Amino acid sequence: MRRFIGARMRLLTPHDTLPLEIEVRAPVGRGIARLTVPAGLAIVAGVVMVQTAGVALPGLAVGILLATAALAVLSGPALVLLRRGAQVRRYRIDPDLVTCLAADGSGGAVWREPFANYTSIRWERFVEHRGSGEINRRHFDHDIVALAHPDPSRTVPLFCATKQLEPTPAQETESVSPRAAWEGFSRLLDLPAIDGRDGADDARAPEDLDKSLQQLAIEGKIDKSWMDSPAPPGLMLEVIGAEGDAEAKRLRVTLRKPATGLFTWLLVALGAVLLGVGVVVAAIGLIVAGVLFIALGIGLRVLQIRAPRRIEISRQQLSHTNPLVESDSFNLPLAEIESVTLRRTGRADVRRLMPGPGVRELVIGTDAGEHTLGAGLSAPELSWLRRYIVAAIVNA
């Protein structure tokens, strides 16, 4: 599915009826990028030829050799780029057959595949980092929803969307969310919906997509049992409310660890290095900078520890409160919560401060969107918290 990143798609028929026809134009951006080096080599070769043409035969021979090498290297990516630029595929999905049509408008079939061979509607997300340095580096999420086949060449893209994680005012918002497309195509084609983001493989039957965790538990599709294991060190549990009053009872989980714990320690480490070097070379500027970095790192850490994030679960709703970041707080009715999964964080600020594949958060999924919590917790702590939240919701 990665090959569909950047592809341009257009639905040619209504999205909620069969047959379904989709036009897909292959991405060409990466092909253009691949031409940069060989094109530069060709320019250099041309300059050498012009400069040496009237001087000496050996110089001309060098220029000709460089030009030949440049053209040889350039021809491969150029042909791929031209082929991709002209590659438009039209897919037709019928109740019993999937057809890939040729790009020349003749209506001829490139291949046909029985619909019964398709396994699921798969949603995957690919993260792309462009540019270098803190200022120029940009982060993009590529969401792709596809009709999945065991043979990747027969997989059919249904929805592609790219989102910059630091959106500018001019950036447009997708009219259809990836989740809505994923659920809609699953119902239309009556295939299991697989959430394959971050390498996961969470599956739901089409009839279960809009059901809350509580509904699934009532139907026996979620285990309601809870192994009363103690909370990990990074979490603190409390029961709030009057004894015997089930309606007023609330479960509170306090997240003791700062969301940007690694970042604060990096600030302290950088400050210690600057301070040590400043003392050795007697540079007052480095000493002051080191002290400031250490103070900033410790200050941020103390501030987050003194104003911790909290999760509260009552019989009606789940709430998440972050005293330091108001936009990070939310309240969700339990009847609307459809999933609690462990995912790579989608928050741009956390990705900038703590890049890498190991950064994880819990994602609370609803039809209205997704909410994240738990940044800065370890994998075992997040795993325990997920099981605790699910158990609390289904037993509320």
Side-chain angles (χ1 to χ4, degrees), residues 4-124:
F4 299 124
I5 292 177
R8 289 185 292 170
M9 297 186 54
R10 186 163 63 98
L11 280 173
L12 305 177
T13 57
H15 68 277
D16 54 355
T17 59
L18 291 178
L20 190 67
E21 290 193 15
I22 305 161
E23 182 182 271
V24 181
R25 186 179 295 274
V28 297
R30 284 173 174 76
I32 294 174
R34 290 175 61 189
L35 295 179
T36 304
V37 173
L41 181 59
I43 292 173
V44 172
V47 172
V48 172
M49 289 180 66
V50 170
Q51 295 295 322
T52 61
V55 178
L57 185 59
L60 180 60
V62 171
I64 293 174
L65 286 174
L66 284 174
T68 303
L71 290 174
V73 175
L74 189 64
S75 60
L79 289 174
V80 171
L81 178 59
L82 290 173
R83 180 175 176 272
R84 281 193 170 185
Q87 187 178 7
V88 179
R89 285 286 184 260
R90 182 176 289 188
Y91 299 94
R92 179 184 172 95
I93 303 173
D94 292 285
D96 58 350
L97 187 68
V98 177
T99 308
C100 177
L101 302 173
D104 56 9
S106 64
V110 177
W111 51 259
R112 291 185 175 90
E113 186 74 16
F115 182 81
N117 292 342
Y118 286 86
T119 58
S120 62
I121 304 300
R122 189 171 185 86
W123 175 13
E124 290 197 7

Side-chain angles (χ1 to χ4, degrees), residues 200-258:
D201 205 25
D202 301 326
R204 277 204 181 191
E207 63 271 16
D208 292 337
L209 284 171
D210 275 331
K211 293 179 181 178
S212 68
L213 291 177
Q214 291 181 325
Q215 289 176 296
L216 293 173
I218 291 173
E219 296 175 8
K221 297 177 179 178
I222 290 183
D223 186 4
K224 298 179 65 173
S225 63
W226 163 250
M227 295 180 63
D228 194 16
S229 58
L235 305 170
M236 182 178 72
L237 298 182
E238 300 174 84
V239 178
I240 311 297
E243 187 69 28
D245 187 353
E247 292 298 323
K249 180 180 176 181
R250 303 192 311 278
L251 303 177
R252 175 184 291 174
V253 184
T254 301
L255 281 60
R256 294 173 168 177
K257 286 187 176 180

Side-chain angles (χ1 to χ4, degrees), residues 324-340:
L324 302 179
V325 184
E326 186 176 350
S327 61
D328 199 27
S329 302
F330 56 85
N331 297 291
L332 295 175
L334 297 189
E336 295 182 5
I337 298 176
E338 298 179 2
S339 63
V340 181

Side-chain angles (χ1 to χ4, degrees), residues 145-202:
V145 176
L147 176 60
H149 189 281
D151 179 357
S153 67
R154 297 297 172 97
T155 292
V156 178
L158 301 172
F159 175 90
C160 297
T162 298
K163 179 180 67 173
Q164 185 175 347
L165 297 179
E166 296 90 350
T168 62
Q171 184 178 345
E172 296 182 359
T173 302
E174 292 289 336
S175 57
V176 179
S177 70
R179 176 176 287 273
W182 175 63
E183 293 183 352
F185 286 122
S186 174
R187 294 191 194 94
L188 174 65
L189 300 173
D190 194 27
L191 286 173
I194 307 292
D195 187 350
R197 292 175 292 169
D198 306 319
D201 205 25
D202 301 326

Side-chain angles (χ1 to χ4, degrees), residues 226 229-239 251-259 305 308-313 320-321 342 360-362 373-390:
W226 163 250
S229 58
L235 305 170
M236 182 178 72
L237 298 182
E238 300 174 84
V239 178
L251 303 177
R252 175 184 291 174
V253 184
T254 301
L255 281 60
R256 294 173 168 177
K257 286 187 176 180
I305 291 175
R309 298 159 292 163
R310 287 192 172 93
I311 302 165
E312 288 193 3
I313 304 173
H320 176 256
T321 305
L342 185 59
R360 293 288 188 268
E361 284 184 306
L362 290 186
L373 57 86
L377 296 179
S378 66
E381 289 166 343
L382 285 171
S383 179
W384 186 95
L385 182 60
R386 177 190 174 277
R387 289 185 284 110
Y388 182 83
I389 290 176
V390 171

